[in-house]
Amino acid sequence: MAVQTVSSTTTPVNLGPAAALSCRECGERFELGPIFACALCFGPLEVAYDLPSGDPEALKKRIEAGPNNIWRYAPLLPVPADVAEKPNINPGFTKLVQADNLARELGVTGGLFIKDDSGNPTHSFKDRVVAIAVEAARAFGFTTLSCSSTGNLAGAVGAAAARAGFRSCVFIPHDLEQGKVVMAAVYGGELVGIEGNYDDVNRFCSELIGDPVGEGWGFVNVNLRPYYGEGSKTLAYEICEQLGWRLPDQIVIPIASGSQLTKIDKGLQELIKLGLVEDKPYKIFGAQAEGCSPVSTAFKAGHDVVRPQKPNTIAKSLAIGNPADGPYVLDIARRTGGAVEDVNDEQVVDAIKLLARTEGIFAETAGGVTVGVTKKLIEAGVLDPSLTTVVLNTGDGLKTLDAVAPTTGLTATIRPSVDAFRAAGLAG
Amino acid sequence: MAVQTVSSTTTPVNLGPAAALSCRECGERFELGPIFACALCFGPLEVAYDLPSGDPEALKKRIEAGPNNIWRYAPLLPVPADVAEKPNINPGFTKLVQADNLARELGVTGGLFIKDDSGNPTHSFKDRVVAIAVEAARAFGFTTLSCSSTGNLAGAVGAAAARAGFRSCVFIPHDLEQGKVVMAAVYGGELVGIEGNYDDVNRFCSELIGDPVGEGWGFVNVNLRPYYGEGSKTLAYEICEQLGWRLPDQIVIPIASGSQLTKIDKGLQELIKLGLVEDKPYKIFGAQAEGCSPVSTAFKAGHDVVRPQKPNTIAKSLAIGNPADGPYVLDIARRTGGAVEDVNDEQVVDAIKLLARTEGIFAETAGGVTVGVTKKLIEAGVLDPSLTTVVLNTGDGLKTLDAVAPTTGLTATIRPSVDAFRAAGLAG
């Protein structure tokens, strides 16, 4: 992997409490910059912090007085202290919905909550990670935001770049459905179709980063990845704050690359260290679709290594066959006493409808995966229904209408008369 | 029009500060109930309040300490004081986006803001009005929620009914696009296709209300309409609170039936009376699509009467050819020194793209209408660019992809190589 630096980073970079990048494998530290792999062992880099010390109650008050978005947690993120004053997409502080109807159907008595990230600006959790990448790109003097994508990320990058004043150039497979192309293109950035599949798009992006053409470009999920990933910590912060500064007992999180799950665990650990929540055990559960279940397969087999799969599932936003953070996910699930499970496409669709019917939340397929896995784990006696449980919905059903369309439609079609209505047996 | 009562309303109805229904035309007052037309003059009924008296600063503090949704304004709405404890869809407190990029493009120097209601649970402002109707339905002992709809409202009713524990039965023209049917049907209520157009659906609903079959049914936009309409007041409250308890100078509001515009004016007047904002002039501007512009046509001609039109525009959520509140809209626009203007479909599409490109907000066609009208009114010297201006986006672009699809797509398609990228002239 190429390690790239830009000349403007010779002056110290102001990314708030972010102190350095450290290698997740060997622990070596590096100055903050647009690098993502350890120069010694090629391990992934992550942000290391000088977190605020002092009275936890004062920090809580400061957070609670902040804006209704992720910038309320600026003291815990790799962003400058005045981040809320800069133009950005300002995602987060989405609803934590108390799902009493769903709890009744599933037999959960300890409290069931849906963390509903469809309320973000482009209606997926990707707005969180992109918003952080934008601030890193600004700090490093980049002028173009880029990524490879097959859906949610393209829209999130396009929208954030537009607001924040960056040029954007996003790469997608050339044969995506028209609806997805429109959602990504409407923000006015460059949207380039690559003749090939998603792997070809990724290879091309790596080539571009190493080429002079890519100078001044921030690829949110490549050379800005260490910063980008930190955005998922905000899900942990919000869940705990919205529960009244309390850790949930159980969390069910979808797995694509696995980054979101590992960063939520990191966020929970930070809250404990800072004294913002009481230290107590919590269990983290990972959710995959059966058609792309490399991590759940490894979990069930007791393996430490994740064997890549060729994805074949309707849950396309989770369809990463070779998840980079798979081994870390296995470690977290086992360490916390959780599990990794999968459901098939039919169960995904049933779970989307179950959530919609009980709570009025129309989830993306990834939300069907987490709700479906929650149901399966309760039935198997793995998830404890007497404990407080939070289930993530990371996207919006409007973006994956195809998943439910074949089995969702009119109850009846009738002539416009009360007699016809009565005859159709609908007058219950 | 049929006036319907239910027997359970003999006990006093608890809808908080709502004291009675009063006729907008003759002023006659009626007990709170599921009625919508004056028994004397057939004028429309609206909610009359006993609004809180006392220290405005104490009321502000109480509101600010409330939940991040419309229930923070419960003391000003026809809902019980403990409304936030009841299961409902909890819309509102959506972002007021400071649109500096768009302001630069339009030459606005006094501050330009987009009130972005795409952040609501089903991504349109309809969640606000439906949430209030749900509480009225609960108070009147109804068990089924219903409406006629061609889009946004069907989804909002389906979702709210699911969460709040009502049966729902929604009526739509039988030949709606499949995507819209799926969005409305996924919440699991009855969705009935009526063989006919939207007018036929409405006539059928009126027939149903007068029939024993419709007993126990709350039609959110018919027999619950006086309560339902009050939901739009929350847009006024939020805009002022988010501006720091200050009235904007100018507001641009879309016109379908005209109810939203009249209720926003009502809300602003209430804030003035309560001392929550300083009393000062403000101007209200109405926005229509040229293909359905009965109110702007009347405004420009100096008429008091609105002549019905046959709608033909891509802005389908605004396509009401005979708007019930049209005369009130004319009155408010003239009284406040505002105006009513329209833009054609091409201008609607251009405005959707302008907002997306400058602010990363992908608006529904109704948002294209308000942004387009704002631009037109500035260019005509009618809107003052040196004043604080708020523009409403009441819906989400994901629901009207067809509007922009023909002119939104890939910048280029290339082979996966840097040479091909360079050759395409994209290496800016």
Side-chain angles (χ1 to χ4, degrees):
Chain A
M1 280 181 274
V3 174
Q4 187 202 36
T5 55
V6 287
S7 54
S8 69
T9 59
T10 48
T11 52
V13 166
N14 174 11
L15 286 174
L21 294 176
S22 74
C23 175
R24 195 147 181 168
E25 290 299 326
C26 75
E28 183 71 14
R29 282 167 79 100
F30 301 87
E31 267 185 38
L32 295 171
I35 55 174
F36 55 102
C38 177
L40 302 185
C41 77
F42 298 103
L45 300 182
E46 64 173 354
V47 177
Y49 294 90
D50 287 331
L51 287 180
S53 57
D55 180 19
E57 292 306 314
L59 181 55
K60 271 188 207 172
K61 289 263 176 315
R62 181 174 159 192
I63 289 170
E64 288 168 357
N68 284 330
N69 57 51
I70 60 170
W71 306 134
R72 66 202 280 116
Y73 306 108
L76 314 180
L77 295 171
V79 295
D82 63 347
V83 61
E85 311 303 315
K86 297 173 190 287
N88 200 324
I89 203 82
N90 304 338
F93 221 57
T94 55
K95 289 180 197 297
L96 183 71
V97 175
Q98 187 166 334
D100 289 345
N101 299 329
L102 180 60
R104 266 190 296 276
E105 293 243 359
L106 298 183
V108 175
T109 55
L112 181 64
F113 298 85
I114 304 293
K115 180 60 176 172
D116 186 12
D117 250 13
S118 68
N120 275 319
T122 71
H123 307 316
S124 91
F125 94 98
K126 292 288 185 189
D127 290 323
R128 297 177 184 270
V129 287
V130 169
I132 305 277
V134 161
E135 295 307 321
R138 215 189 306 265
F140 300 141
F142 289 138
T143 51
T144 297
L145 282 184
S146 186
C147 69
S148 54
S149 172
T150 61
N152 283 331
L153 185 57
V157 167
R163 177 82 59 78
F166 289 78
R167 175 176 181 259
S168 72
C169 187
V170 167
F171 300 99
I172 59 174
H174 73 294
D175 54 358
L176 277 194
E177 305 93 301
Q178 195 207 16
K180 289 195 174 173
V181 172
V182 172
M183 287 180 217
V186 74
Y187 302 102
E190 313 285 355
L191 185 70
V192 180
I194 298 293
E195 291 169 358
N197 60 24
Y198 185 58
D199 288 335
D200 296 321
V201 179
N202 271 322
R203 266 192 298 275
F204 166 72
C205 286
S206 298
E207 201 191 337
L208 210 54
I209 289 178
D211 191 278
V213 167
E215 210 165 304
W217 287 42
F219 287 80
V220 300
N221 53 350
V222 188
N223 59 352
L224 298 175
R225 189 168 186 86
Y227 310 93
Y228 168 90
E230 296 293 289
S232 291
K233 291 197 311 179
T234 58
L235 281 161
Y237 303 154
E238 292 180 16
I239 288 167
C240 291
E241 182 180 351
Q242 290 170 324
L243 287 174
W245 295 109
R246 202 165 52 85
L247 289 168
D249 300 316
Q250 305 174 131
I251 312 186
V252 184
I253 304 169
I255 300 171
S257 73
S259 164
Q260 186 183 58
L261 186 147
T262 64
K263 297 299 182 182
I264 288 175
D265 181 59
K266 186 181 181 186
L268 297 176
Q269 291 296 324
E270 287 172 352
L271 294 182
I272 292 171
K273 270 186 212 121
L274 289 163
L276 292 175
V277 298
E278 197 185 343
D279 190 3
K280 70 161 197 70
Y282 59 82
K283 294 183 183 183
I284 290 191
F285 297 84
Q288 296 209 292
E290 189 181 283
C292 181
S293 53
V295 188
S296 68
T297 301
F299 181 86
K300 293 180 201 174
H303 295 164
D304 294 330
V305 175
V306 173
R307 185 180 302 206
Q309 292 183 359
K310 204 176 154 71
N312 179 20
T313 168
I314 56 168
K316 293 197 197 307
S317 64
L318 302 182
I320 297 182
N322 188 13
D325 283 7
Y328 303 120
V329 167
L330 291 172
D331 179 55
I332 290 167
R334 286 175 180 144
R335 173 168 52 73
T336 64
V340 185
E341 188 49 274
D342 55 79
V343 282
N344 64 35
D345 284 358
E346 194 184 330
Q347 290 168 315
V348 171
V349 171
D350 286 349
I352 291 173
K353 290 185 182 176
L354 173 65
L355 181 63
R357 174 169 62 75
T358 52
E359 300 298 339
I361 296 171
F362 184 20
E364 206 211 299
T365 44
V369 168
T370 51
V371 171
V373 161
T374 301
K375 183 167 185 283
K376 188 170 177 180
L377 289 173
I378 290 171
E379 287 164 358
V382 178
L383 251 160
D384 183 341
S386 72
L387 298 178
T388 303
T389 304
V390 175
V391 179
L392 264 62
N393 171 37
T394 52
D396 201 294
L398 293 184
K399 294 191 183 181
T400 54
L401 283 178
D402 289 351
V404 294
T407 57
T408 306
L410 295 173
T411 311
T413 301
I414 61 170
R415 282 175 299 107
S417 89
V418 173
D419 284 345
F421 182 70
R422 222 183 252 109
L426 292 162
Chain B
M1 281 181 273
V3 174
Q4 187 203 35
T5 54
V6 286
S7 53
S8 69
T9 59
T10 47
T11 51
V13 166
N14 174 12
L15 287 173
L21 294 176
S22 74
C23 175
R24 195 149 181 165
E25 290 298 326
C26 75
E28 182 71 15
R29 282 167 78 99
F30 301 87
E31 266 184 39
L32 295 171
I35 55 174
F36 55 101
C38 177
L40 302 185
C41 77
F42 298 103
L45 300 181
E46 64 174 353
V47 177
Y49 294 90
D50 287 331
L51 286 180
S53 56
D55 180 19
E57 291 307 315
L59 180 55
K60 271 187 208 173
K61 287 265 177 314
R62 179 174 160 193
I63 290 170
E64 288 168 356
N68 284 330
N69 56 51
I70 60 171
W71 306 133
R72 66 202 280 117
Y73 306 107
L76 314 180
L77 295 171
V79 295
D82 63 347
V83 61
E85 311 303 315
K86 297 174 189 286
N88 201 321
I89 203 82
N90 305 339
F93 220 58
T94 55
K95 288 178 197 296
L96 183 72
V97 176
Q98 187 166 334
D100 289 345
N101 299 329
L102 179 61
R104 265 190 298 276
E105 294 241 359
L106 298 183
V108 175
T109 56
L112 181 63
F113 298 85
I114 305 292
K115 180 61 176 172
D116 186 11
D117 251 13
S118 68
N120 274 320
T122 72
H123 307 316
S124 92
F125 94 99
K126 291 289 185 190
D127 290 323
R128 297 178 184 270
V129 287
V130 169
I132 305 277
V134 161
E135 295 307 321
R138 217 191 302 267
F140 300 140
F142 290 139
T143 51
T144 297
L145 281 184
S146 185
C147 70
S148 53
S149 171
T150 61
N152 283 330
L153 186 57
V157 167
R163 176 81 59 79
F166 288 79
R167 175 174 181 260
S168 73
C169 186
V170 167
F171 301 98
I172 60 175
H174 73 294
D175 55 357
L176 277 195
E177 305 92 300
Q178 195 207 16
K180 289 194 174 173
V181 172
V182 171
M183 287 181 217
V186 74
Y187 302 102
E190 313 285 353
L191 184 71
V192 179
I194 298 293
E195 290 168 359
N197 61 24
Y198 184 58
D199 287 335
D200 297 320
V201 179
N202 271 323
R203 265 192 299 274
F204 166 72
C205 286
S206 298
E207 200 191 337
L208 210 54
I209 290 178
D211 191 278
V213 168
E215 211 164 305
W217 285 44
F219 288 79
V220 299
N221 54 349
V222 188
N223 58 353
L224 298 176
R225 190 170 186 85
Y227 310 93
Y228 168 90
E230 297 293 288
S232 291
K233 291 197 311 178
T234 58
L235 281 161
Y237 303 153
E238 292 180 16
I239 288 168
C240 291
E241 181 180 350
Q242 290 170 325
L243 287 174
W245 294 108
R246 201 164 53 84
L247 289 167
D249 300 315
Q250 305 174 132
I251 313 186
V252 185
I253 304 169
I255 301 171
S257 74
S259 164
Q260 186 183 56
L261 187 146
T262 64
K263 296 300 183 182
I264 288 176
D265 181 59
K266 186 181 181 187
L268 296 176
Q269 291 296 324
E270 287 172 353
L271 294 183
I272 292 171
K273 269 185 214 123
L274 289 163
L276 293 175
V277 297
E278 197 185 345
D279 190 3
K280 71 161 197 66
Y282 59 82
K283 295 183 182 182
I284 290 191
F285 297 85
Q288 296 208 292
E290 190 181 282
C292 181
S293 53
V295 188
S296 68
T297 301
F299 181 86
K300 292 180 203 175
H303 295 162
D304 293 331
V305 175
V306 173
R307 183 180 302 206
Q309 292 183 358
K310 202 176 157 67
N312 178 20
T313 168
I314 57 169
K316 294 198 196 305
S317 64
L318 302 182
I320 297 183
N322 188 12
D325 283 8
Y328 302 119
V329 168
L330 291 172
D331 179 55
I332 291 168
R334 287 173 181 144
R335 173 168 53 74
T336 64
V340 186
E341 189 48 275
D342 55 80
V343 282
N344 64 36
D345 285 357
E346 195 185 331
Q347 292 168 314
V348 171
V349 171
D350 286 348
I352 291 173
K353 291 184 181 178
L354 173 64
L355 182 63
R357 174 169 62 75
T358 54
E359 300 298 339
I361 296 171
F362 183 20
E364 207 211 300
T365 43
V369 168
T370 51
V371 171
V373 161
T374 301
K375 183 168 186 281
K376 187 170 178 180
L377 289 173
I378 290 171
E379 287 164 358
V382 178
L383 251 161
D384 184 341
S386 72
L387 298 178
T388 304
T389 304
V390 175
V391 179
L392 264 62
N393 171 38
T394 51
D396 202 292
L398 293 185
K399 294 191 182 181
T400 55
L401 282 178
D402 289 350
V404 294
T407 57
T408 305
L410 294 173
T411 312
T413 301
I414 60 170
R415 283 174 299 108
S417 89
V418 173
D419 284 345
F421 182 69
R422 222 182 253 111
L426 293 162

